[in-house]
């Protein structure tokens, strides 16, 4: 029993070391082993042995060019291998499923969108699974798993969507339903936490340990990263802003009966309702058509989106006052297709004290991922898991651990 316990402890230490090496290389890019050892506080011998196993397993690669020229033994950098393994992200939105294939550095390889005029869980999951299989078959890369996201209250530990008001899901077993069809590991999380994770890993918040990702689309919420780690809350429900009272009044009541909740006043659904009432779009068109009009220069569409941006700026100011983040990243329909972030910044600055908002231009930024954000963010859920426990997803790594 003691021997087994010691073996398990050694395995845990090895796993942690693999994770540390891969995370540093994700952050720094190609790095010589001696420099890598210095950066993470590990001996060069240990780094050489561990990176050897990671290279043989296809998680790392050696650079073709040495890191230095001249006398002495050349330093050969190691880097994340972007050609062998990948992950897929699936985002479930209203009538729309986004699927992204990324490599192990989170770089987009392929993307697909499906439109389904249904909110039925089984039908949406079956449609997503077909798209996932098609994407896998079309690319010569080994997919290690699927990250899936949606709005609302999502518990990654149980794999359930406790509440997704826009889709009408309650205690939906999303992870197990999708995993059964794709026959790959599936991890789910809320879209706001996934977005925050992606921005932290390789987006606008790289290197920032305390920030907020404010997402305003069909659903509204915030993903929090504190001291470098996502904050989920006691019940995985942190970040829900649907019922935050804001200025303005919606044409439709919230589920709680109020017409002043953030979700119904500032969301994409309200933008579409106002656009229909103004005759900008037809009853069969959606908010994406409003974005298209604004992108083409339609003054009324642009004004409608600017008004919404000003309202969101006021809410952003409230979050800044409460939490004092280094950065607020803005994502969702609020930032597309016309850049409304300037109007949002101006509105936030009007509400903030001078010493809180003086750096608003640097403190409030648009998402780095544009229209690809939701799919890439869902993929980041699985990337994070792979980087935390590489042996759990790449069995060859255990074999190569010599």
């Amino acid at each position: 029993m003691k021997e087994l316990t010691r073996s398990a402890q050694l395995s845990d230490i090895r796993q942690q070391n693999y994770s540390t090496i891969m995370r540093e290389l994700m952050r720094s890019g190609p790095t010589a082993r001696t420099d890598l050892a210095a950066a993470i506080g590990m001996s060069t011998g240990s780094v050489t042995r561990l990176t050897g196993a990671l290279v043989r397993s296809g998680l790392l690669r050696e650079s073709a060019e040495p890191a230095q020229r001249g006398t002495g033994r050349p330093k050969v950098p190691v880097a994340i291998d972007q050609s062998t393994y990948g992950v897929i992200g699936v985002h479930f939105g209203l009538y729309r499923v986004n699927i992204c294939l990324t490599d192990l550095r989170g770089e987009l390889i392929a993307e697909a969108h499906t439109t389904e005029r249904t909110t039925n869980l089984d039908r949406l999951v079956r449609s997503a699974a077909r798209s996932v299989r098609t994407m896998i078959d079309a690319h010569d890369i080994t997919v290690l798993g699927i990250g899936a996201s949606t709005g609302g209250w999502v518990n990654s530990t149980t794999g359930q969507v406790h509440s997704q008001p826009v889709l009408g899901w309650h205690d939906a077993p999303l992870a197990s339903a999708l995993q059964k069809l794709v026959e790959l590991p599936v991890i789910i999380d809320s879209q706001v936490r996934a977005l925050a994770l992606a921005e932290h890993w390789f987006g606008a918040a790289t290197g920032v340990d305390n920030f907020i990702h404010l997402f305003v689309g069909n659903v509204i919420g915030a993903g929090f990263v504190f001291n470098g780690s996502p904050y989920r809350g006691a019940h995985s429900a942190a970040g829900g802003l649907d019922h935050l009272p804001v200025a303005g009044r919606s044409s439709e009541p919230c589920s709680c009966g109020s017409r002043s909740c953030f979700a119904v006043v500032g969301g994409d659904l309200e933008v579409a309702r106002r656009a229909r009432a103004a005759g900008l779009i037809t009853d069969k068109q959606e908010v994406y058509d409003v974005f298209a009009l604004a992108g083409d220069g339609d003054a009324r569409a642009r004004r409608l989106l600017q008004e919404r941006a000003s309202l969101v700026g006021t809410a952003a100011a409230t979050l800044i006052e409460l939490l004092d983040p280094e950065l607020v990243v803005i994502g969702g329909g609020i930032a597309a297709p016309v850049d409304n972030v300037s109007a949002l910044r101006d509105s936030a600055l009007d509400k903030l004290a001078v010493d809180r908002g003086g750096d608003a231009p640097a403190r409030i930024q648009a998402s780095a991922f544009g229209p690809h954000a939701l799919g890439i963010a869902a993929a980041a859920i699985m990337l994070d898991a792979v980087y935390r426990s590489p042996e759990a997803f790449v069995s060859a790594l255990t074999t190569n651990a010599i």
Side-chain angles (χ1 to χ4, degrees):
M1 179 63 72
K2 289 183 179 180
E3 187 62 33
L4 286 174
T5 301
R6 175 174 169 76
S7 177
Q9 289 174 340
L10 291 174
S11 177
D12 288 344
I13 293 171
R14 186 175 66 240
Q15 184 94 284
Q16 182 178 342
N17 288 338
Y18 284 145
S19 178
T20 300
I21 287 170
M22 291 185 65
R23 286 177 182 273
E24 176 61 24
L25 291 173
M26 167 66 95
R27 186 193 66 80
S28 64
T31 307
R33 289 174 173 88
T34 52
D35 297 330
L36 179 59
I40 62 178
M42 196 179 295
S43 73
T44 302
S46 294
V47 167
T48 299
R49 175 170 47 81
L50 292 163
T51 55
L54 289 163
V55 168
R56 290 191 296 274
S57 303
L59 289 165
L60 300 185
R61 61 174 175 81
E62 291 186 336
S63 174
E65 291 292 327
Q68 67 177 27
R69 299 181 184 275
T71 60
R73 186 174 180 179
K75 294 181 178 181
V76 179
V78 288
I80 301 296
D81 189 326
Q82 297 177 250
S83 63
T84 304
Y85 300 111
V87 299
I88 285 179
V90 181
H91 173 73
F92 293 89
L94 181 63
Y95 306 142
R96 188 176 175 90
V97 179
N98 293 3
I99 302 99
C100 282
L101 171 64
T102 78
D103 63 31
L104 290 188
R105 283 194 61 84
E107 294 186 7
L108 185 65
I109 297 172
E111 185 174 21
H113 307 278
T114 65
T115 301
E116 299 287 342
R117 302 298 295 185
T118 181
T119 59
N120 179 270
L121 175 70
D122 290 339
R123 288 175 61 183
L124 286 174
V125 168
R126 284 198 300 270
S127 175
R130 286 193 297 269
S131 296
V132 166
R133 296 311 317 177
T134 298
M135 188 169 284
I136 290 173
D137 293 342
H139 294 86
D140 185 22
I141 194 166
T142 299
V143 173
L144 297 177
I146 313 294
S149 69
T150 191
W153 179 6
V154 181
N155 190 323
S156 59
T157 302
T158 64
Q160 287 192 313
V161 180
H162 287 301
S163 174
Q164 214 292 22
V166 174
L167 295 179
W169 291 357
H170 298 281
D171 295 325
L174 178 58
S176 60
L178 186 56
Q179 185 167 336
K180 182 178 180 181
L181 294 177
V182 299
E183 298 181 329
L184 285 167
V186 173
I187 301 175
I188 70 170
D189 211 336
S190 73
Q191 70 184 41
V192 290
R193 283 195 292 269
L195 287 161
L197 188 65
E199 297 289 355
H200 187 49
W201 269 80
F202 38 77
T206 302
V208 179
D209 284 341
N210 293 279
F211 73 95
I212 299 167
H213 189 291
L214 177 58
F215 180 88
V216 179
N218 283 333
V219 296
I220 291 175
F224 305 119
V225 171
F226 297 141
N227 298 322
S229 298
Y231 179 73
R232 289 181 163 78
H235 305 94
S236 292
L241 301 178
D242 286 352
H243 302 291
L244 180 72
V246 295
R249 186 172 176 83
S250 172
S251 58
E252 295 288 334
C254 178
S255 59
C256 70
S258 171
R259 292 179 184 265
S260 297
C261 290
F262 199 175
V264 294
V265 176
D268 282 356
L269 293 175
E270 177 66 10
V271 170
R273 281 193 289 265
R274 289 176 181 248
R276 292 187 192 106
L280 285 171
I281 59 174
T282 69
D283 289 344
K284 292 184 178 180
Q285 290 180 299
E286 303 291 344
V287 72
Y288 302 106
D289 299 293
V290 183
F291 297 159
L293 285 171
D296 290 339
D298 186 283
R300 291 190 299 166
R302 290 174 66 93
R303 186 165 56 250
L304 183 62
L305 294 176
Q306 292 278 305
E307 289 171 355
R308 193 264 291 268
S310 295
L311 181 148
V312 174
T314 302
T318 299
L319 292 174
I320 291 171
E321 289 281 3
L322 283 171
L323 299 171
D324 188 31
E326 297 173 64
L327 177 68
V328 178
V329 180
I330 306 298
I334 186 67
V338 178
D339 182 10
N340 295 301
V341 177
S342 294
L344 189 155
R345 285 194 196 105
D346 291 343
S347 176
L349 192 58
D350 285 344
K351 296 296 180 181
L352 289 168
V354 174
D355 58 346
R356 290 294 190 100
D359 58 349
R363 202 175 192 182
I364 300 174
Q365 298 183 22
S367 167
F369 303 117
H372 311 294
L374 290 170
I376 289 175
I381 298 169
M382 181 54 65
L383 272 181
D384 184 61
V386 171
Y387 274 71
R388 276 189 284 109
S389 305
E391 282 188 335
F393 296 92
V394 181
S395 59
L397 191 53
T398 303
T399 304
N400 286 320
I402 57 175

